[in-house]
Amino acid sequence: MKNLKIGTFLIILGNLLYVCYTFFCKNEAGNFADFTSGLLLGLSIGSNLIGIILTVTYISKNNKKEDK
């Protein structure tokens, strides 16, 4: 159950970070703006992927337990 909660939290966090990326990084000007936009995008993609992996592994393990 813990992995499911953490997975869904990471998926939601990734989506919120992507919304921040689209909202704040419209008018980029300079190296720091490029860095922060890349950091926001990378963190959002990474947290989404880790959240999806945790959720899928929990669901697959839970299905195996129910089959037995």
Side-chain angles (χ1 to χ4, degrees):
M1 189 69 167
K2 184 178 178 181
N3 284 341
L4 182 64
K5 289 181 183 178
I6 293 173
T8 54
F9 172 74
L10 285 174
I11 292 171
I12 292 170
L13 179 68
N15 290 334
L16 288 175
L17 286 173
Y18 185 73
V19 167
C20 289
Y21 166 74
T22 57
F23 184 71
F24 291 121
C25 298
K26 290 181 182 175
N27 299 326
E28 298 179 352
N31 293 331
F32 184 71
D34 289 339
F35 172 74
T36 54
S37 67
L39 186 67
L40 277 174
L41 184 62
L43 285 174
S44 71
I45 291 172
S47 63
N48 268 328
L49 286 176
I50 293 173
I52 289 169
I53 289 169
L54 283 175
T55 306
V56 167
T57 55
Y58 173 78
I59 291 172
S60 68
K61 286 181 182 178
N62 196 20
N63 284 341
K64 287 181 183 178
K65 288 180 184 178
E66 289 180 0
D67 288 341
K68 290 184 179 180

